[in-house]
């Protein structure tokens, strides 16, 4: 039989169903991406506002001190010296803040390659721990290493970046704990349930017996836009407030996760994970 030239093509109802499902999935995916974009834009706006705020206070202190020095010519040497010291301290705060902002920007920029090296975890963490033992900053704390025996496999890390993670966690542990308290470095392996079977991961925890963090601040502690004053360094001249954001950014780029458990008056435990590989991989 001759086919009519204008006859509609026969489309199976199954095909229509699968096409409309695909269209629906694509729309959902687009809407999720849109939401994510909006969230990132909001976070960036908040971060700009926070950075302007954090930059303003040392700059105001420096400006006021300079005005004071310029206005009064009958200042004593001691007055001059204390004014110069204040300018020096506030300039250091600005330098640290700008250095941390730039560091965070570089780590989050995925077009910048990290320098990954394959290394055995026990070798790396033991070496780090012995460096910490020799570091005068931790003289007033009891340092403990709790490493799983016969830890197998290896990690692929940018060594200087993971050292930075540990430095940030250790300096915080010492900063927010009284003298004589304990700081423990726990290193162990875990099996993580993944859809495609089990994956081995390394879990690293820096645990202190210090001040602890209020429960209401815990969900925001790694968020760089978080500005609730109780969760920032009490003396604003001692930290940029970006230390934990840097930790999260570095661990995310290594394919791991960060978390924190803390109880006021008992202490805090900051953990991160890293994928574990077979030595031959
Ligand atoms: P900074 O220490 O420069 O303020 P961080 O990002 O390193 O910035 O830490 C953010 C906040 O989290 C700190 O201001 C502090 O309130 C809290 N914090 C971090 N580590 C600890 C800790 N080990 N114990 C108690 N509080 C902590």
């Amino acid at each position: 039989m001759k086919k009519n030239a204008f006859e509609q093509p026969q489309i199976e109802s199954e095909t229509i169903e699968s096409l409309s499902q695909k269209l629906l999935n694509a729309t959902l995916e687009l809407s999720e991406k849109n939401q994510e974009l909006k969230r990132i834009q909001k976070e960036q706006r908040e971060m700009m506002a926070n950075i302007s705020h954090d930059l303003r206070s040392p700059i105001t202190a420096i400006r006021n001190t300079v005005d004071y020095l310029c206005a009064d010519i009958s200042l004593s040497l001691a007055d001059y010296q204390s004014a110069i010291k204040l300018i020096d301290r506030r300039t250091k705060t600005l330098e640290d803040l700008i250095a941390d902002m730039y560091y965070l920007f570089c780590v989050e920029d995925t077009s910048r390659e990290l320098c990954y090296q394959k290394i055995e975890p026990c070798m790396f963490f033991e070496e780090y721990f012995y460096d910490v033992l020799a570091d005068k900053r931790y003289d007033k704390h009891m340092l403990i290493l709790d490493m799983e025996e016969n830890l197998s496999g290896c990690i692929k890390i940018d060594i200087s970046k993971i050292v930075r993670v540990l430095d940030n966690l250790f300096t915080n542990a010492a900063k927010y704990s009284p003298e004589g308290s304990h700081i423990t470095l726990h290193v162990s392996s875990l099996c993580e349930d993944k859809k495609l079977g089990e994956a081995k991961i390394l879990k690293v925890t820096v645990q202190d017996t210090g001040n602890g963090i209020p429960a209401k601040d815990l969900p925001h502690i790694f968020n760089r836009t978080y500005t609730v004053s109780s969760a920032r360094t009490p003396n604003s001249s001692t930290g940029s407030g970006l230390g934990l954001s840097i930790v999260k950014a570095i661990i995310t780029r290594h394919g791991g996760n960060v978390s924190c458990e803390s109880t006021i008056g008992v202490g805090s435990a900051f953990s991160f994970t890293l994928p574990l590989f077979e030595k031959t991989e």
Side-chain angles (χ1 to χ4, degrees):
M1 196 182 14
K2 200 172 173 236
K3 211 168 179 196
N4 182 344
F6 300 105
E7 197 179 314
Q8 288 286 321
Q10 290 284 306
I11 303 176
E12 305 257 334
S13 68
E14 241 177 73
T15 316
I16 295 177
E17 238 173 69
S18 110
L19 280 176
S20 50
Q21 189 57 49
K22 274 188 188 154
L23 199 65
L24 191 69
N25 289 348
T27 316
L28 281 175
E29 206 178 306
L30 210 61
S31 138
E32 272 169 24
K33 290 217 166 107
N34 197 20
Q35 293 288 332
E36 176 67 3
L37 206 65
K38 280 189 181 152
R39 190 192 60 75
I40 292 171
Q41 280 172 343
K42 183 169 174 273
E43 201 179 287
Q44 277 174 346
R45 274 198 306 275
E46 284 171 11
M47 190 180 73
M48 286 309 292
N50 291 345
I51 287 171
S52 317
H53 176 271
D54 289 350
L55 288 173
R56 203 175 305 136
S57 82
I59 287 175
T60 307
I62 294 169
R63 161 56 53 213
N64 289 345
T65 315
V66 170
D67 288 347
Y68 169 70
L69 284 175
C70 293
D72 194 338
I73 41 159
S74 62
L75 288 173
S76 68
L77 183 62
D79 287 339
Y80 265 114
Q81 281 173 340
S82 72
I84 296 294
K85 271 190 193 144
L86 190 142
I87 293 176
D88 184 44
R89 268 201 319 275
R90 293 312 191 127
T91 307
K92 172 95 178 53
T93 308
L94 276 180
E95 284 166 352
D96 288 349
L97 179 58
I98 290 165
D100 276 1
M101 273 161 45
Y102 185 65
Y103 192 93
L104 183 59
F105 164 79
C106 291
V107 175
E108 286 186 334
D109 178 1
T110 47
S111 67
R112 287 168 199 254
E113 298 271 317
L114 297 192
C115 180
Y116 291 105
Q117 287 183 50
K118 219 161 145 182
I119 189 164
E120 288 181 23
C122 47
M123 226 172 80
F124 172 75
F125 288 100
E126 239 170 48
E127 205 171 295
Y128 180 83
F129 183 75
Y130 289 116
D131 283 349
V132 169
L133 275 184
D135 192 327
K136 290 210 173 331
R137 283 178 300 175
Y138 307 110
D139 271 359
K140 298 193 171 76
H141 290 87
M142 280 281 298
L143 302 175
I144 301 159
L145 175 62
D146 168 31
M147 178 127 65
E148 182 181 309
E149 270 179 45
N150 307 322
L151 204 55
S152 63
C154 66
I155 43 176
K156 287 180 194 165
I157 55 170
D158 182 321
I159 291 179
S160 71
K161 300 282 184 301
I162 299 297
V163 165
R164 175 70 186 253
V165 166
L166 292 165
D167 280 347
N168 285 6
L169 297 180
F170 264 85
T171 48
N172 275 352
K175 197 157 67 171
Y176 301 107
S177 304
E179 286 182 11
S181 60
H182 296 66
I183 305 175
T184 310
L185 175 62
H186 302 273
V187 185
S188 60
S189 63
L190 296 173
C191 274
E192 196 185 41
D193 264 342
K194 288 237 164 127
K195 276 184 194 139
L196 302 168
E198 282 187 338
K200 267 195 119 187
I201 55 168
L202 188 78
K203 184 173 181 190
V204 182
T205 304
V206 177
Q207 183 179 25
D208 64 59
T209 52
N211 308 351
I213 300 166
K216 71 172 175 49
D217 292 331
L218 273 181
H220 313 286
I221 212 78
F222 290 99
N223 185 347
R224 63 186 164 173
T225 62
Y226 189 55
T227 51
V228 174
S229 57
S230 61
R232 303 294 288 263
T233 307
N235 174 358
S236 61
S237 66
T238 60
S240 69
L242 292 175
L244 292 178
S245 312
I246 289 174
V247 165
K248 186 178 173 187
I250 293 175
I251 296 301
T252 304
R253 284 214 60 188
H254 281 78
N257 291 309
V258 290
S259 60
C260 172
E261 285 174 26
S262 186
T263 309
I264 287 287
V266 176
S268 310
F270 283 86
S271 302
F272 63 87
T273 59
L274 290 171
L276 260 178
F277 300 89
E278 293 296 328
K279 281 194 185 128
T280 47
E281 271 182 75

